[in-house]
Amino acid sequence: MLSPETRMIIKSTAPVLEDHGVAITTRFYSRMFEEHPELLNIFNHANQAQGRQQTALAKTVYAAAVHIDNLEEIMPAVIQIAHKHVSLGVKPEHYPIVGAHLLIAMKEVLGDAATDEIIQAWSDAYGVIADAFISVEKSMYQTTAKQENGWNYFKDFVVARKVKESDVITSFYLKPADGSNVPTYIPGQYISVRVSIPGEKYTMIRQYSLSQASKPDEFRISVKREADNDPNGIVSIYLHKQVNEGDRLEVSAPAGVFVLDASKTTPVAFISGGVGITPMMSMFETVATSTPERPTVFLHGARNRSQHAFDEDIRSFVNRMENASYSTVYSDEENGFITRAMLEEHVDPAGDAYVCGPVPFMVSMIRELRNIGMDDSRIHYEFFGPAMDLEEL
Ligand code: HEM
């Protein structure tokens, strides 16, 4: 428990952290990686380069500090981040390293303004926040380990099949190398893939949504090939160009909170842009097979026909369903965007909508869904990358 004095100091200095948060966390990361280069095996270097991760961490520490009296309020955010941490293999012993470097960076950036008393208060507060993460993550690790065919951290998988879905998206069917089955997962969840790319000093980890309904013996991920000059593209290019059927990849157990409530039978809309279609495929296939009578709409925006993945699969699911519709628009063509009018025509605002795609797409879809009268509690979304990028919503 934090003392009342500590709480007061935290609350009164939280705005300073907001102002200098990014400077502090930027400094923090460079210090931490100098002393603990092994952590570069876990962190995404591209996110670091773009400053996205710094912002995410700074904002979370700030939000936690503001709610230090009642951390319950930020529990949904803690749980979402904890899923990511568990998928990456973050361990309790990592927290003191992060904490120590965060405090040193605070002291460096704030200078004399950061008195010993203030630093001590933040050290205590970090301890409380870290304990919340550690305990949530501990119970997640326990649940995953206990699940049938579940495991913690990374396990060897073999690429059983590699299938081109469009000019830019390729699917990888992954089976455990030890011949076991895979755990059941909730549609919408993701796995982490860890690779050692020849010539790269550190391992690289990326999350990919599972792109088919849960199957007993395999996972499927569908990876977009990023541009050659995109720092975030190194893993996707490696997977596309160098990983072939029969090769091994390290995979972590399914995680994530952007999931379909498959028990519902009320109207549902799946709205995706580009490779944001991947979690929708898992959700849509699940609805098509388990509740085919559910009123369902699938709206998708792609650049053009050649970048449009899964068209035939979606059509075959629609054919099996009693009340499903499917429309696609191509942004390379005139008026090729999902508009408010299109949402109005297809989406029942009393149902649920699942949205996934690039940030501008998500921002626009969420705004228009609100405009057609859909309540926030029914709009579910996931953005690929640090979640805080959607703060502007
Ligand atoms: C991701 C917060 C501790 C490693 C994140 C994200 C947030 C966050 C907000 C972005 C989540 C998203 O993408 O949706 C925190 C907070 C911590 C903490 C508040 C302390 C209380 C740690 C520790 C480690 C760690 C101890 C391990 C050394 C990572 C990694 C990512 C991540 C590797 C993925 C992003 C990337 O690769 O750049 N964390 N974290 N975090 N966290 Fe933490």
Side-chain angles (χ1 to χ4, degrees), residues 42-44 53 56-57 60 81 84-85 88 94-95 98 386-387:
I42 307 182
F43 282 87
N44 176 338
Q53 183 56 24
L57 184 92
T60 309
I81 298 162
K84 189 74 154 284
H85 282 164
L88 289 155
H94 291 137
Y95 280 85
V98 165

Side-chain angles (χ1 to χ4, degrees), residues 28-29 32-33 39 42-48 52-62 64 77 80-82 84-85 88-99 102 126 129-131 133 137 190 205-207 383-388:
F28 146 74
Y29 275 114
M32 186 170 77
F33 292 139
L39 291 180
I42 307 182
F43 282 87
N44 176 338
H45 313 189
N47 280 353
Q48 298 299 320
R52 275 159 49 167
Q53 183 56 24
Q54 286 87 323
T55 315
L57 184 92
K59 286 189 174 164
T60 309
V61 173
Y62 168 71
Q80 192 211 336
I81 298 162
K84 189 74 154 284
H85 282 164
L88 289 155
V90 171
K91 296 179 174 163
E93 56 265 36
H94 291 137
Y95 280 85
I97 302 176
V98 165
L102 199 56
Y126 176 82
I129 297 165
D131 283 350
F133 276 95
E137 286 160 19
Y190 57 79
I205 307 178
R206 292 291 185 278
Q207 285 75 46
F383 160 67
F384 295 139
M388 303 295 157

